Amino acid sequence: MSVTYETKSFHKKKSSMAEYFIFGCLTIWNIVMTVRERKRASEFYAHLSLVIFFGAILLVFILSHDALSGQAFVTFPVSIPALRITGIGMVTAGISIYILALRALKTEGNPRKGSHLETEGLVTSGIYRYARHPMALAVLLICLGLVLWRLHIAAVTAYAVLVVFYIIAMRREENELVRKFGEDYREYRKRVPALNIVRGRYRVLNSESNQ
């Protein structure tokens, strides 16, 4: 009995250390990117929101380790295993969307040297046919999946802050894109939703069926 308890405790400690490391690295990386992109408003707000989000989750891990886990932060009467499965699905979907968006930018956007986000041309193909901000959608899905995986009040609050910051970032990016691409982007914005990829897909299918 004692051996079993010690084994479980050891694996739990290893899992906690892995979480500290992963979210610590994500927090540090986004701090670096926030400083690097401080002159680009949209990227600055996006990375700053991720600093707050990942930093909050990291803080939750530290504060809730053993003593507070499941008491001070977890207050929702729901099935945690079911939420974790849903969270993993959202993270997987978010990563897939991000990869598709990155591929479209690299193949169609003629990105500037040293940057995968600064493109010379307006990208409206691939996943950008269905959503104007697929990368933002990907990040929001990934982070929501992580919230469901680690359901804490602090993580939920951090996600709300993330959403607000991303709304600001997307609005600023829209203004930059209008200045850069003019009427082409305004027409694209009328046709394609910002984040609702299902609605965007429906519009494309409806448009193709009417041709």
Side-chain angles (χ1 to χ4, degrees):
M1 188 78 172
S2 177
V3 174
T4 304
Y5 175 78
E6 289 177 1
T7 303
K8 287 183 178 179
S9 180
F10 173 74
H11 286 300
K12 187 176 181 181
K13 190 172 182 180
K14 280 184 68 177
S15 176
S16 296
M17 292 304 295
E19 289 172 342
Y20 296 157
F21 177 77
I22 292 169
F23 286 98
C25 287
L26 288 169
T27 303
I28 293 169
W29 183 77
N30 278 286
I31 289 173
V32 172
M33 292 301 294
T34 299
V35 175
R36 179 183 170 185
E37 302 290 347
R38 62 188 180 277
K39 293 183 179 179
R40 293 189 62 212
S42 60
E43 292 300 309
F44 172 79
Y45 281 108
H47 286 292
L48 180 60
S49 65
L50 288 171
V51 170
I52 295 170
F53 179 75
F54 289 125
I57 289 185
L58 182 63
L59 183 63
V60 164
F61 284 165
I62 294 171
L63 292 178
S64 64
H65 181 64
D66 292 333
L68 297 180
S69 181
Q71 298 174 27
F73 293 101
V74 181
T75 59
F76 303 93
V78 290
S79 172
I80 299 300
L83 281 181
R84 286 192 170 186
I85 293 170
T86 304
I88 291 170
M90 285 187 168
V91 170
T92 303
I95 292 172
S96 300
I97 291 171
Y98 193 91
I99 291 171
L100 289 172
L102 195 60
R103 182 183 297 174
L105 288 176
K106 285 187 174 182
T107 56
E108 305 294 334
N110 188 21
R112 293 180 182 176
K113 189 176 180 180
S115 174
H116 62 277
L117 297 178
E118 291 265 358
T119 60
E120 296 294 339
L122 176 61
V123 179
T124 60
S125 60
I127 199 166
Y128 283 87
R129 295 176 69 196
Y130 313 125
R132 299 197 306 273
H133 300 281
M135 284 191 167
L137 173 63
V139 171
L140 292 172
L141 278 175
I142 291 169
C143 291
L144 181 57
L146 293 173
V147 169
L148 295 180
W149 178 58
R150 273 288 188 177
L151 191 58
H152 296 287
I153 290 175
V156 173
T157 304
Y159 186 77
V161 173
L162 175 80
V163 171
V164 171
F165 271 76
Y166 255 84
I167 290 172
I168 295 171
M170 286 189 294
R171 286 180 178 175
R172 288 180 178 270
E173 185 178 17
E174 293 265 322
N175 293 334
E176 291 173 10
L177 292 170
V178 167
R179 284 195 295 269
K180 187 174 182 178
F181 298 113
E183 194 60 32
D184 287 343
Y185 189 79
R186 290 191 182 94
E187 287 297 320
Y188 171 66
R189 186 167 59 182
K190 290 177 183 177
R191 296 194 317 268
V192 181
L195 296 173
N196 193 337
I197 198 168
V198 175
R199 184 182 176 193
R201 174 67 175 166
Y202 173 77
R203 283 185 178 180
V204 170
L205 290 174
N206 191 47
S207 175
E208 290 176 349
S209 65
N210 290 332
Q211 289 179 354

